[in-house]
Amino acid sequence: TQLTYEGLIDEMLGINNGLVEVPYSAPPSSGDSAGGQPSGAARKGRKVPLNSSDVLFRELRDVNFGSIGPKLRNKTLHMREEYKEINSRTFSEVHQFVKKLNIMPVLDRHTELASMIQEKSAMDEGFLKRLRCEQDLLDGRGVDAACEYAEELMFAERESMESVLRLIALVSLVNSGVPKKYFDSLRWGLLHLYGFESLASLQSIQASGLIKKYEGGRNAFPQMKKAFKLVVDEMDDANPTDISYVYS
């Protein structure tokens, strides 16, 4: 599961064509339809653009989410300090400060968005359960539990096919294949729930080797993990030196 700022926004709210739909925290006071109910657009939420034309988003998008709060807080405090000193500034410095004020609505938008993501991720037991499941797999345990959780995601949670396949692929990669006792039932479940249209995708994924049936033999993942340092236990998310910060 991706744990960068942009990644978590995509996980929690979904980013489509550079836009994220942010639900309203409360019904708008104006523009409501008859009967006091919010309009269709209000119920859906507002569209917020997320792309590199947003200077702040360009800076934050690939940062581990654990570092987003301090970064936004520091920017806010810096703006406040500059405002306090404005009376002692020259006209040129005041002019430069006024230009900086253009970032305030953007800063407010990202503070609201980060707060919403933090609240959703902390309260979403399903999200936390998935993180624990993935971490257990990387630590070399919980393969059976992960396969059972994949079935739960399909039939109880009705998760998207992509979400389920990501978990099954992780099981396959860390275990040199999906255990035989789960492989056929998971494949049947995917076809049954997502329809025959998913057959081509399943065949392509199996042909690529991302998902396969465990045929016995030694599992090479523990040795590969150690040799290539695929999992870094201690990482400074604020100043990362390894790409693993994106999911740490």
Side-chain angles (χ1 to χ4, degrees):
T1 296
Q2 45 191 345
L3 295 180
T4 59
Y5 179 52
E6 182 179 17
L8 263 185
I9 293 174
D10 190 34
E11 291 283 344
M12 293 292 176
L13 300 175
I15 299 175
N16 295 302
N17 301 318
L19 295 171
V20 61
E21 191 173 277
V22 180
Y24 288 107
S25 56
S29 57
S30 62
D32 289 358
S33 57
Q37 297 297 322
S39 64
R43 285 193 299 269
K44 290 182 178 179
R46 67 186 187 278
K47 302 283 188 180
V48 175
L50 290 177
N51 52 59
S52 292
S53 63
D54 180 336
V55 178
L56 187 55
F57 181 66
R58 186 167 66 223
E59 178 184 341
L60 299 176
R61 66 190 308 173
D62 296 324
V63 174
N64 184 281
F65 190 76
S67 301
I68 292 297
K71 286 183 177 292
L72 290 174
R73 193 178 305 114
N74 288 339
K75 286 186 176 295
T76 303
L77 291 174
H78 179 69
M79 293 293 289
R80 287 179 179 175
E81 290 298 322
E82 286 199 20
Y83 180 74
K84 288 179 181 179
E85 299 173 1
I86 196 169
N87 291 328
S88 60
R89 299 293 182 90
T90 65
F91 284 114
S92 176
E93 290 173 332
V94 170
H95 179 64
Q96 293 299 319
F97 176 73
V98 171
K99 284 185 176 180
K100 289 183 180 180
L101 290 178
N102 292 330
I103 201 176
M104 290 303 293
V106 179
L107 183 59
D108 183 60
R109 179 200 310 158
H110 284 290
T111 301
E112 178 189 7
L113 195 54
S115 177
M116 183 183 302
I117 295 300
Q118 183 179 33
E119 184 178 347
K120 284 177 68 71
S121 61
M123 296 178 63
D124 188 343
E125 183 57 36
F127 176 76
L128 298 176
K129 182 177 180 180
R130 174 145 189 162
L131 286 183
R132 289 193 295 267
C133 178
E134 292 174 349
Q135 188 60 55
D136 284 346
L137 287 172
L138 292 174
D139 290 340
R141 58 180 186 271
V143 171
D144 287 357
C147 292
E148 293 169 3
Y149 182 49
E151 293 178 339
E152 179 184 330
L153 290 177
M154 282 191 287
F155 296 108
E157 304 295 334
R158 297 285 174 164
E159 285 282 343
S160 67
M161 181 178 172
E162 176 190 352
S163 176
V164 176
L165 285 175
R166 278 168 47 193
L167 181 58
I168 298 175
L170 183 59
V171 171
S172 181
L173 290 171
V174 304
N175 191 60
S176 293
V178 179
K180 294 179 181 179
K181 62 180 179 180
Y182 292 109
F183 183 84
D184 290 333
S185 63
L186 286 171
R187 195 169 187 275
W188 175 88
L190 288 165
L191 292 172
H192 180 76
L193 186 60
Y194 302 107
F196 68 90
E197 297 92 343
S198 63
L199 182 59
S201 298
L202 287 175
Q203 289 177 332
S204 297
I205 291 174
Q206 286 182 244
S208 71
L210 282 175
I211 294 178
K212 63 182 181 179
K213 182 186 294 187
Y214 179 66
E215 300 292 352
R218 191 179 71 170
N219 181 11
F221 182 76
Q223 288 73 33
M224 291 176 59
K225 180 176 72 171
K226 183 177 180 180
F228 294 102
K229 298 181 180 179
L230 299 179
V231 176
V232 180
D233 294 326
E234 295 184 5
M235 172 65 64
D236 182 1
D237 295 331
N239 300 289
T241 56
D242 189 273
I243 194 62
S244 63
Y245 82 93
V246 301
Y247 60 84
S248 65

